[in-house]
Amino acid sequence: MTLMEQLNQDMKQAMKSKDKEKLTVIRMVKASVQNESIKLGNKDLSEDEELTVLSRELKQRKDSLQEFKSAGRDDLVKKLETEINILQEYMPQQLSESELEAIVQTTIQEVNATSKKDMGKVMSAVMPKVKGMADGSQINKLVQKHLN
């Protein structure tokens, strides 16, 4: 089942159960996917492209969440946390810390990285392997830790 099919099915279910928050998030994600489809000129997006859109939506909300927390906007923090939880239902299973660490170590060996100067090389090799399954900042910290 493609992401759009899943979103349509979940949207119908949210309408039936009168879950306004979930319905709003699903509509936003559908719009983002459709906009990306138009932008790329494809009728259907690949699974990878859909994952990119979902990751972007999730990242935007996480960034906003930090801003609202620092501004003391608890009303908006709760709303965004709910949206993040709904979006994570559509994301692939997240990798554990140990799995990520193993991928980072393997990649460092593959690209023969020895110092922090090689950070870009390592990051560009790791990110496609863990796309959608891990947060970029978490990967960045692990790469820095292993390149010391």
Side-chain angles (χ1 to χ4, degrees):
M1 180 180 296
T2 67
L3 176 64
M4 284 302 278
E5 290 169 348
Q6 182 68 42
L7 287 171
N8 285 328
Q9 188 176 17
D10 290 349
M11 189 168 82
K12 289 174 191 173
Q13 188 60 41
M15 285 177 181
K16 287 177 184 175
S17 63
K18 296 186 180 2
D19 187 348
K20 290 183 181 181
E21 290 175 331
K22 188 167 188 170
L23 184 60
T24 302
V25 173
I26 290 171
R27 284 181 173 155
M28 280 191 270
V29 172
K30 275 188 68 175
S32 294
V33 170
Q34 288 170 336
N35 286 339
E36 187 74 12
S37 175
I38 291 168
K39 182 176 131 189
L40 296 175
N42 301 350
K43 186 174 192 285
D44 295 318
L45 295 179
S46 70
E47 204 172 301
D48 198 38
E49 292 165 335
E50 291 174 343
L51 192 56
T52 301
V53 173
L54 278 175
S55 297
R56 185 181 324 132
E57 291 293 317
L58 196 57
K59 183 177 182 339
Q60 286 174 351
R61 282 166 180 77
K62 284 182 178 179
D63 291 345
S64 297
L65 183 66
Q66 294 304 315
E67 293 294 321
F68 291 147
K69 279 183 180 178
S70 64
R73 296 292 310 268
D74 295 333
D75 55 327
L76 295 173
V77 168
K78 283 183 183 176
K79 180 179 180 281
L80 276 175
E81 285 173 343
T82 304
E83 288 183 12
I84 288 170
N85 290 335
I86 293 168
L87 277 173
Q88 285 177 330
E89 292 174 20
Y90 299 101
M91 295 294 287
Q93 180 68 37
Q94 298 294 296
L95 295 171
S96 70
E97 185 83 22
S98 58
E99 291 172 318
L100 267 177
E101 194 137 350
I103 291 171
V104 167
Q105 287 174 336
T106 305
T107 306
I108 287 173
Q109 291 170 355
E110 286 173 2
V111 298
N112 298 321
T114 54
S115 68
K116 286 196 178 209
K117 290 180 183 177
D118 300 321
M119 179 121 178
K121 220 184 338 181
V122 175
M123 288 296 291
S124 62
V126 169
M127 291 309 286
K129 294 178 184 178
V130 298
K131 187 169 189 131
M133 296 183 286
D135 184 43
S137 61
Q138 185 182 13
I139 296 165
N140 191 321
K141 288 176 190 168
L142 283 173
V143 171
Q144 284 183 9
K145 177 179 141 188
H146 289 287
L147 286 179
N148 279 340

